[in-house]
Each structure stands twice: as C-alpha cells, then as structure tokens.
Amino acid sequence: MSKELEELRSEIESVDQKILDLLNDRASIVQEIGKLKEMQGVKRFDPVRERKLLDLIEDRNKGPFETSTLQYIFKQIFKASLELQEDDNRKALLVSRKKKPDDTIINIKGELIGTGEQHFVMGPCAVESYDQVKQVAKALKDQGLTLMRGGAFKPRTSPYDFQGLGMEGLKILRQVADEENLAVISEILNPNDLEEALDYVDVVQIGARNMQNFELLKAAGAIRKPVLLKRGLSATIEEFMYAAEYILAQGNDQIILCERGIRTYEKATRNTLDISAVPILKKETHLPVMVDVTHSTGRRDLLLPAAKAALAIGADGVMAEVHPDPAVALSDSAQQMNIPQFHEFMNELKKHSVVHSS
C-alpha cells in the first residue's frame, strides 16, 4: 500500500512538472502576443477572447473538477498573463528605471537636479510687471536660489480671468533673470509658441491641464532644453509616466516630474497632495521629482508643512509661489507668499533639508 502511494505521488510530480512546463510555454506565447498587440496599438485585455476560452472549458471539462473550479483557476492564469504583458511593457518604457537604472541628472545653469540635493523653484504665479518680478528675483537671490518660475501664459478655468502677458511676460522674466543670474522656468501652452519661447526660458513647463496635450509633448521632446512636466488634475501615476514617455520618445530625456496635487472629493484644500507619488515615481522612473506645494494645497498656511513632507519623503525639490503683495495679485492671491513670508519659509526649510545653495 505504501509502495502504491509513492508511485501515485511520483505520477503527480510528473504531471506537475508537465503543467509547470506548459504554463511557462503558455507565458512565452503570451509575451509574443503582447509585443504584437503593442506594435498594433491594440489593448492587451480582450474580454471577448477570455469569455470564449471560459466557455471552451465548460464544453470540454470531463471532471472530476467542477467547471466553476477550473474556470476560476484559468481566470487566475489569464490575470497573471495580462500582468506579465504589462510588466514587459513597463520594462520597455524609456522612462522606466528598469530601462535605465541610474538617476537622470539635469543641469540648469550649473544647478544639478537629481543628485540627492534638494532644490527650490520660486516666483510669482503670473508675471505682471518688471518691478514685481525684480522684487521677487532679489528675494530669491538673497536666499541663494537660482531657479525662478513665473507664468506668462496662464491657462485659467474662466475665460474672463487674467490670461498672462504672453511673450512680453517671457521677455520680462528673461531680462530680470539675466540681471540677477537666475534661470527661468515658465509654462508654454501652444506648440507654435515653443520655438520663440526658447529664446527666453531655460526650462519649459508643461502644466497640469496640458499633461495630455500630445502635440505639445511631442514638440517638447524635439527641443534640447529641460522640461518640467506637471501631473494632470485627475491623472493616474501611470498616465503621468506615459506623458513623460511622449517627450522621451522624441529624444529629450531632460525631464523633471512635478506632483501638484490631484482632484478628489476633499474641499479643505485646492487639490489633494498625493505625497506617495514621490517615492513611487522615484522607484518606477529614473527622473527627478519635484512637488508644487502651492497648487496642491491652495493655502498659504499649509505651504511649509507640505514642503517639509515633500522633502522628507525624498522629493528633489519644492515649487512655490511668491508675490511682493499677494493681496493685489492678478491671479491666485490666497495661495502666494509675500516676501517676508518667503524668507521665513526658506529659513525654516533649510534647517531640515539638504539644500543646494549657489
């Protein structure tokens, strides 16, 4: 009886080995199908095909397993196969750390982003005048900062709100930046403006509302200047990564990702800061990651704690807005710091971070 039991167990081991080999053979075929679907732009999951295979199991099952049991087992095989195809696709992405294990380091006028030192991008929400930008630039200079943001083209929810000074605003930014030896980061909305804008900006910003403006992403991929790409208002991390992939696919790997909060049901803040996105993006991609604490919170009183959280969790930098007199600002007055508040903000952060200072 013991001998018979051992023989049966030996048969099971032999069958298990065959099942294992067949599953791996099946997985290899699944990978090839995934590559073909990727080339054709076809979705990997095919519910009609899955339903057909489950019906086939019902028609051909001779027992002793119940059909529902076998269908459950095969559903798990289908799920694992889909995950295998998705994993293969992630490995193939240019943005993926699996494709490029080393961190991408971006040089902006001698300031290296992505080295582990933490940086700050500060400036007014919107460029309003030379004097306004000059006051903010001097404050940045006093703190040893070199990266100045400022909006010249403003995508606003209401068509009646201030839309920015356009190219004239970029010229003001460039003039002040040259006088104070700063770098300019500013948003461009239209691919047709990109070529002219390159004369005035050091970093092209693509804002949240344009994260999936694919023609703009492709145009930004064709230039040879860094791009700061903000996460869309309701974008998943995967969609954010694919937006960056559009830029990389055109040859430009100088990309800074920026988490700026996502839209949820919460009303206490302007958006909800997805702080967990920082380590996820750092793990999944090789690109530097910054956090915009102004647009994520929309509240001046939350800028400092949000910035501390961003730096503590590993962000390469923090972006925030500064205005000489926020009460009269032409856009987003409630979320901008005045200059004394900015100095207090910076002095507090410098106590807790590895800050780059020029």
Side-chain angles (χ1 to χ4, degrees):
M1 191 170 179
S2 177
K3 184 180 178 182
E4 185 179 356
L5 183 61
E6 287 303 317
E7 287 176 353
L8 289 172
R9 284 174 172 168
S10 179
E11 284 184 40
I12 284 179
E13 287 179 5
S14 177
V15 170
D16 287 344
Q17 183 61 52
K18 288 177 182 176
I19 292 172
L20 178 62
D21 291 340
L22 286 170
L23 282 172
N24 281 321
D25 288 344
R26 187 185 192 282
S28 296
I29 296 169
V30 162
Q31 286 179 309
E32 292 303 313
I33 290 172
K35 290 175 185 175
L36 290 173
K37 284 187 173 182
E38 187 69 27
M39 289 170 60
Q40 296 170 3
V42 178
K43 285 186 177 180
R44 285 182 288 275
F45 177 59
D46 185 346
V48 176
R49 173 72 177 164
E50 181 172 308
R51 181 72 260 166
K52 183 179 178 182
L53 292 171
L54 292 173
D55 289 343
L56 201 63
I57 291 165
E58 184 176 13
D59 293 341
R60 295 184 179 180
N61 180 30
K62 296 177 181 178
F65 278 124
E66 293 286 340
T67 294
S68 59
T69 301
L70 289 174
Q71 286 178 330
Y72 174 79
I73 291 170
F74 271 86
K75 279 183 179 180
Q76 299 311 303
I77 294 171
F78 299 157
K79 181 182 177 183
S81 298
L82 184 61
E83 289 172 352
L84 184 63
Q85 289 180 343
E86 290 173 346
D87 189 52
D88 283 347
N89 184 58
R90 280 194 293 270
K91 286 178 183 175
L93 290 178
L94 297 171
V95 75
S96 172
R97 191 171 284 281
K98 293 177 181 177
K99 188 78 170 179
K100 181 179 180 281
D102 297 331
D103 290 334
T104 291
I105 297 173
I106 298 172
N107 188 334
I108 305 172
K109 291 195 73 166
E111 192 154 338
L112 302 179
I113 315 293
T115 62
E117 288 189 326
Q118 294 171 317
H119 304 260
F120 297 92
V121 179
M122 302 286 173
C125 175
V127 176
E128 298 165 5
S129 69
Y130 170 85
D131 289 339
Q132 170 230 18
V133 176
K134 184 72 171 180
Q135 288 182 62
V136 173
K138 285 183 174 179
L140 266 61
K141 195 75 173 176
D142 289 343
Q143 286 289 342
L145 305 185
T146 59
L147 305 177
M148 180 173 65
R149 59 144 288 127
F153 296 92
K154 300 295 298 177
R156 306 301 299 279
T157 301
S158 169
Y160 306 111
D161 287 340
F162 177 59
Q163 306 285 313
L165 298 179
M167 209 59 70
E168 187 59 37
L170 290 185
K171 291 176 183 178
I172 292 172
L173 283 169
R174 183 74 270 158
Q175 181 183 348
V176 172
D178 288 345
E179 291 168 358
E180 300 295 336
N181 195 28
L182 303 176
V184 172
I185 299 172
S186 193
E187 181 172 0
I188 305 302
L189 306 181
N190 192 321
N192 297 326
D193 294 326
L194 198 53
E195 186 174 352
E196 186 178 357
L198 294 179
D199 292 333
Y200 307 108
V201 302
D202 299 289
V203 179
V204 172
Q205 178 179 307
I206 296 179
R209 289 168 178 80
N210 272 316
M211 190 206 80
Q212 289 188 314
N213 180 339
F214 301 117
E215 293 308 311
L216 180 58
L217 295 173
K218 285 188 263 187
I223 66 174
R224 291 299 171 262
K225 282 197 176 183
V227 176
L228 188 142
L229 176 65
K230 285 195 170 185
R231 184 178 178 181
L233 278 69
S234 301
T236 65
I237 289 175
E238 183 180 39
E239 289 167 339
F240 191 21
M241 288 172 59
Y242 272 112
E245 186 74 7
Y246 266 90
I247 300 170
L248 263 90
Q250 298 298 316
N252 186 356
D253 67 348
Q254 299 293 286
I255 302 169
I256 301 168
L257 302 175
C258 184
E259 165 59 40
R260 48 80 68 206
I262 53 175
R263 181 171 291 168
T264 68
Y265 55 79
E266 182 53 66
K267 298 295 184 184
T269 52
R270 178 174 175 176
N271 293 290
T272 298
L273 176 55
D274 183 6
I275 200 72
S276 64
V278 175
I280 293 171
L281 290 167
K282 296 285 285 183
K283 180 181 177 182
E284 294 292 330
T285 82
H286 50 83
L287 302 174
V289 181
M290 289 193 173
V291 173
D292 180 342
V293 294
T294 297
H295 289 92
S296 55
T297 66
R299 288 175 49 173
R300 196 179 296 119
D301 61 321
L302 295 181
L303 298 181
L304 182 58
K308 286 181 178 179
L311 297 175
I313 208 166
D316 293 284
V318 164
M319 176 181 278
E321 293 179 349
V322 186
H323 192 286
D325 187 359
V328 298
L330 296 179
S331 63
D332 293 341
S333 60
Q335 65 189 27
Q336 298 189 72
M337 294 177 280
N338 63 30
I339 289 174
Q341 289 167 339
F342 162 69
H343 286 304
E344 186 180 346
F345 173 87
M346 286 303 307
N347 292 337
E348 184 64 25
L349 285 181
K350 285 178 178 179
K351 297 176 186 176
H352 305 284
S353 57
V354 185
V355 181
H356 171 88
S357 18
S358 51

